[in-house]
Amino acid sequence: MAAHSLSPSLTRLLFAVKYASLQSRCCAVHSRVQYSTVSPSEKTFDKILIANRGEIACRVIKTCKKMGIQTVAVHSDVDSSAVHAKMADEAVCVGPAPTSKSYLNMDAIMDAIRATGAQAVHPGYGFLSENKEFAKRLEAEGVMFIGPDTHAIQAMGDKIESKLIAKAAKVNTIPGFDGVVKTVEEALKIAQDIGYPVMIKASAGGGGKGMRIAWNDEETREGFRFSSQEAASSFGDDRLLIEKYIDNPRHIEIQVLADKHGNALWLNERECSIQRRNQKVVEEAPSTFLDPETRRAMGEQAVQLAKAVQYSSAGTVEFLVDSQKNFYFLEMNTRLQVEHPITECITGLDLVEQMIRVAKGYRLQHKQEDIPINGWAIESRVYAEDPYKSFGLPSIGRLSQYQEPGHLSNVRVDSGIQEGSDISIYYDPMISKLVTYGVTRAEALARMEDALDNYVIRGVTHNIPLLREIITHPRFISGDISTNFLPEVYPDGFKGHQLETDRRRELLASAAALYVTAQLRSQKVLGALRVSSTPVGGSHWDLCVELGEGRHDVEVTKSGNVYTVEVDGGKVEVSGQWNLASPLLPLTINGTHRMLQCLSRDASGKIVLQYLGTSFQVRVLSKLAAQLNSYMPEKVPEDTSSILRSPMPGTMVAVSVKPGDTVAEGQEICVIEAMKMQNSLTAVRQAKVKSVHCKPGETVGEGDLLVELE
């Protein structure tokens, strides 16, 4: 029989049906607060083009469908089968994979607008969302830009100009140099005048790119170089500014919403202090730190700034807040923020819907006194990253198995991927935004813990171990956080969950019980007993479980569906449904419910379990096999002091050494760019360079050999 492929229109129809339930969950996250609904009499647009990709494109499409608006997706050639391209009513390819040739290709996107007859464009975040030239081109074509006008984009997009406007609007600002820093020498003089530490950052853009903290002259030189290169790469603008760095601050932002009739609201705050490399990891709304007076003062200043630039749309004013609740203007993002869902959860407003209404010219539906704080919402950014490397270096691969925890109550997952999707080097490594809601913060945190344990991601390394450790850490639970939380809590880097005695017993007992379950199942064929070459009959087993460098003698007995495991002088009872085909392993361990995941197991007894968010490799053997295993030779680990391997996939930006050079400890060897962030790789010891295996412009994979030392 000949193979048949589905037509693009039929594929999109099937996706619309598949995601209908997801859309309803997105639009009614919890029973107490519903998103605002569109008035049937309000006519907005017939067709909107979304100039973005991934989860934010899917997010905008969901609201457009709710409003009865047709949607057009744009995509690169490698994104032709992406979820957002299938969800939209129409999809147009705008170029090859590199963002400069596709999602930043204004000519191709303008052609797509003309070809599809789109009346408006929603830019999402990133890419062209804060590009005034794009907004001008849309205006010239008579196409509505769903965002602020070009004046506000330009004024707030330039950090130097925005700071001057903020001062004039009587908004608190950080001390610093009010101008563009053009050379390294000028940067050094300004930094010395302001006094260390200082923050060097790109005048254009945001998202943590083009930002460096400098504590001395040497770091200023290096920061100036990297910040200007990242700024040019990410925003096409290498201008920098320097201001005083406020040590140990909180990062708290205010969501604003304004129309074209002079009305503006502040929709409360979002706490965004948990960051790595100036990029947010966990956010929550409201903040545990603000009192009503400070919240109101920050909100009023945010609205003052919005009105000063005649802002109209959703936007975010970011502040740094010190320990005395003094707050200082950081920047204004003239777009929808990544973390907007948590504001939607506590206010009941659909911000995408509000942006579309405002773009069409409608007045705001609400007054300031109508804006509530109902409950608590927390967002975890789930990334394809290795959290054990600098709290998260990018990982690439194909999602071989993927299952979102959307079946749990009061859980929202904003994603743009599915099982089989590729996480590539070309785009941001975000997998999803995982949001939980509760009447109280404790309830929201408990739901987040449960959601992370139920999230199944295979095929790429992900940061769920780090996310779970953050939200269960005593300092986070108590609200004692700042932007320095991660380096302070993990000064030697993230190492995963550190097992205490009772938790180690739980893990060992679970692994032993799982091993016995698998052995018992292997004796059956379609439910009937078969003859096994290695009988495992009976109800008592003596085993050895290896975890790390430790070996633990284990006794297992089985009664019905319950295993009793004696290990390390304690007794553990483990019960569950033991569905070995499921990625999730719900167990009851000593009366406590735990959700484990069996990531892998093989015939040699090796089992990888995800337990309390962290993956642990154990090996379960019979007593005899354990004795014989002691005679096996051990693999000698590679000497990494004489080689430099790439810690992540990316593109070589610079190679600073050649064969024969002598390098000092800490000296830069090369620079790799991954997901538009530049990473300097340095020598771990003084040595002579033996050989160089890379050159600028090359694409390298994780683990590739870059440089050998003598």
Side-chain angles (χ1 to χ4, degrees):
M1 182 181 290
H4 294 278
S5 60
L6 296 175
S7 67
S9 58
L10 180 56
T11 300
R12 282 190 280 273
L13 176 61
L14 292 174
F15 256 72
V17 173
K18 176 180 178 182
Y19 281 87
S21 62
L22 175 61
Q23 181 183 347
S24 64
R25 287 200 301 273
C26 175
C27 296
V29 179
H30 47 81
S31 59
R32 287 176 175 265
V33 179
Q34 299 265 335
Y35 281 0
S36 57
T37 56
V38 184
S39 169
S41 62
E42 285 189 348
K43 173 69 175 174
T44 55
F45 303 100
D46 296 321
K47 186 182 290 187
I48 290 176
L49 182 143
I50 298 96
N52 217 296
R53 67 179 300 278
E55 68 84 13
I56 190 58
C58 294
R59 165 71 187 90
V60 175
I61 291 170
K62 290 166 192 169
T63 287
C64 287
K65 287 184 181 294
K66 181 185 72 171
M67 298 176 71
I69 300 170
Q70 288 190 308
T71 54
V72 180
V74 295
H75 62 85
S76 65
D77 54 6
V78 298
D79 271 348
S80 59
S81 296
V83 173
H84 77 280
K86 294 180 179 180
M87 284 182 68
D89 298 296
E90 300 174 62
V92 180
C93 182
V94 289
T99 56
S100 61
K101 298 178 180 179
S102 52
Y103 295 104
L104 292 174
N105 185 345
M106 281 190 264
D107 289 337
I109 293 174
M110 294 303 299
D111 287 342
I113 294 168
R114 298 185 194 104
T116 59
Q119 300 164 324
V121 172
H122 196 300
Y125 55 74
F127 294 137
L128 297 172
S129 63
E130 295 177 282
N131 189 304
K132 64 180 182 296
E133 296 304 322
F134 182 56
K136 285 179 180 177
R137 290 185 64 171
L138 291 175
E139 185 178 5
E141 293 272 344
V143 176
M144 184 61 66
F145 179 76
I146 302 177
D149 62 22
T150 54
H151 165 69
I153 294 173
Q154 178 170 348
M156 292 295 98
D158 187 312
K159 290 184 174 63
I160 296 168
E161 185 179 351
S162 67
K163 189 173 179 180
L164 295 173
I165 294 172
K167 279 185 176 179
K170 299 189 180 341
V171 176
N172 304 342
T173 57
I174 302 171
F177 176 70
D178 297 330
V180 178
V181 183
K182 298 178 180 178
T183 65
V184 174
E185 291 71 25
E186 188 179 1
L188 286 169
K189 183 179 185 306
I190 292 169
Q192 291 163 359
D193 290 343
I194 295 174
Y196 288 109
V198 297
M199 171 70 81
I200 305 169
K201 60 184 183 182
S203 175
K209 297 179 177 67
M211 297 177 67
R212 289 292 190 279
I213 300 166
W215 295 81
N216 52 49
D217 288 356
E218 183 179 346
E219 290 183 1
T220 298
R221 290 190 186 91
E222 185 179 86
F224 184 90
R225 177 164 68 100
F226 281 128
S227 292
S228 59
Q229 289 173 355
E230 285 180 7
S233 172
S234 298
F235 317 117
D237 184 344
D238 63 358
R239 293 176 303 147
L240 301 177
L241 61 87
I242 296 179
E243 60 190 16
K244 181 70 176 176
Y245 174 65
I246 299 176
D247 195 16
N248 217 40
R250 285 175 178 260
H251 183 134
I252 301 176
E253 61 191 27
I254 300 291
Q255 176 72 57
V256 296
L257 181 64
D259 63 22
K260 298 179 180 181
H261 305 279
N263 304 304
L265 305 172
W266 48 275
L267 308 182
N268 302 310
E269 80 279 6
R270 293 186 290 257
E271 172 74 73
C272 306
S273 297
I274 306 298
Q275 303 180 3
R276 51 100 177 88
R277 299 190 299 279
N278 298 309
Q279 291 182 311
K280 302 159 190 172
V281 180
V282 176
E283 303 102 342
E284 62 182 306
S287 169
T288 60
F289 189 62
L290 296 190
D291 53 56
E293 292 74 23
T294 308
R295 176 178 296 116
R296 185 181 305 107
M298 293 176 70
E300 289 173 351
Q301 287 199 16
V303 166
Q304 286 169 209
L305 181 60
K307 289 185 174 181
V309 293
Q310 298 178 321
Y311 195 86
S312 61
S313 192
T316 298
V317 181
E318 300 189 347
F319 293 94
L320 290 181
V321 185
D322 67 20
S323 59
Q324 305 303 309
K325 293 188 173 67
N326 299 307
F327 56 91
Y328 306 93
F329 170 71
L330 186 61
E331 64 182 1
M332 183 177 189
N333 292 314
T334 57
R335 54 170 166 80
L336 191 65
Q337 286 282 82
V338 175
E339 58 274 15
H340 75 273
I342 55 177
T343 295
E344 294 181 325
C345 285
I346 67 166
T347 63
L349 296 176
D350 181 334
L351 293 181
V352 174
E353 177 191 319
Q354 296 302 316
M355 293 177 76
I356 293 171
R357 289 187 70 259
V358 167
K360 188 61 177 176
Y362 290 109
R363 293 177 180 272
L364 296 182
Q365 296 169 307
H366 308 281
K367 299 186 180 301
Q368 189 61 57
E369 56 268 23
D370 299 330
I371 305 304
I373 297 181
N374 285 334
W376 215 284
I378 298 172
E379 176 180 283
S380 292
R381 298 194 187 188
V382 181
Y383 282 104
E385 291 183 338
D386 186 345
Y388 301 96
K389 296 177 179 178
S390 301
F391 300 113
L393 293 184
S395 168
I396 61 173
R398 176 165 293 175
L399 291 167
S400 57
Q401 194 170 15
Y402 183 73
Q403 184 177 307
E404 296 175 349
H407 62 285
L408 301 175
S409 65
N410 294 332
V411 172
R412 168 177 168 175
V413 186
D414 281 17
S415 68
I417 48 89
Q418 61 181 340
E419 194 167 292
S421 293
D422 288 314
I423 307 295
S424 74
I425 64 172
Y426 297 109
Y427 310 117
D428 188 272
M430 181 184 286
I431 293 174
S432 73
K433 300 179 310 198
L434 179 62
V435 180
T436 58
Y437 170 83
V439 176
T440 64
R441 185 171 186 262
E443 190 177 307
L445 283 172
R447 288 201 169 109
M448 180 61 73
E449 187 177 339
D450 198 18
L452 290 169
D453 286 343
N454 278 270
Y455 209 145
V456 177
I457 304 172
R458 308 278 194 276
V460 296
T461 305
H462 55 77
N463 68 332
I464 283 180
L466 176 62
L467 294 173
R468 197 184 189 284
E469 286 299 294
I470 290 171
I471 61 133
T472 57
H473 195 280
R475 269 190 60 179
F476 184 85
I477 292 172
S478 68
D480 178 19
I481 61 175
S482 73
T483 55
N484 295 321
F485 178 87
L486 289 178
E488 287 176 357
V489 171
Y490 308 106
D492 300 319
F494 180 67
K495 307 295 183 185
H497 185 80
Q498 302 302 298
L499 292 170
E500 299 172 349
T501 302
D502 289 344
R503 298 293 175 263
R504 185 172 63 249
R505 283 201 195 100
E506 285 188 8
L507 175 62
L508 296 171
S510 301
L514 178 62
Y515 172 83
V516 171
T517 299
Q519 291 296 309
L520 291 173
R521 192 184 72 163
S522 70
Q523 293 182 338
K524 297 182 179 181
V525 179
L526 294 178
L529 288 174
R530 68 176 174 84
V531 177
S532 174
S533 58
T534 55
V536 199
S539 59
H540 182 274
W541 298 266
D542 290 322
L543 305 172
C544 177
V545 183
E546 299 175 353
L547 174 63
E549 300 296 322
R551 297 180 63 179
H552 308 264
D553 291 330
V554 173
E555 291 185 22
V556 182
T557 56
K558 184 174 186 290
S559 176
N561 209 31
V562 179
Y563 291 94
T564 301
V565 184
E566 294 188 34
V567 55
D568 292 349
K571 188 176 289 188
V572 182
E573 282 195 352
V574 185
S575 62
Q577 296 180 355
W578 303 107
N579 181 356
L580 301 184
S582 172
L584 298 173
L585 195 61
L587 300 178
T588 300
I589 306 175
N590 283 345
T592 301
H593 174 74
R594 301 276 189 205
M595 182 61 75
L596 281 70
Q597 294 187 34
C598 181
L599 305 184
S600 66
R601 55 186 177 87
D602 61 26
S604 71
K606 286 184 180 177
I607 301 174
V608 179
L609 286 175
Q610 182 174 304
Y611 169 70
L612 302 178
T614 296
S615 298
F616 295 94
Q617 179 175 299
V618 301
R619 191 174 187 187
V620 186
L621 302 168
S622 67
K623 284 290 182 67
L624 176 60
Q627 291 171 3
L628 296 176
N629 190 59
S630 63
Y631 296 102
M632 297 292 290
E634 293 185 7
K635 182 179 179 180
V636 179
E638 182 180 45
D639 179 12
T640 57
S641 64
S642 298
I643 59 172
L644 178 65
R645 293 190 180 276
S646 175
M648 75 203 84
T651 303
M652 299 301 304
V653 174
V655 179
S656 307
V657 298
K658 62 183 183 298
D661 287 354
T662 299
V663 294
E665 180 180 351
Q667 181 178 332
E668 179 181 288
I669 292 180
C670 59
V671 177
I672 295 179
E673 183 178 287
M675 315 302 185
K676 294 188 177 180
M677 295 291 288
Q678 295 194 0
N679 304 272
S680 175
L681 306 185
T682 59
V684 297
R685 62 180 176 87
Q686 182 174 335
K688 191 174 184 180
V689 177
K690 180 180 179 181
S691 58
V692 178
H693 300 273
C694 58
K695 58 185 179 182
E698 282 186 342
T699 299
V700 296
E702 182 179 356
D704 285 0
L705 180 62
L706 304 178
V707 174
E708 290 183 272
L709 304 176
E710 293 183 355

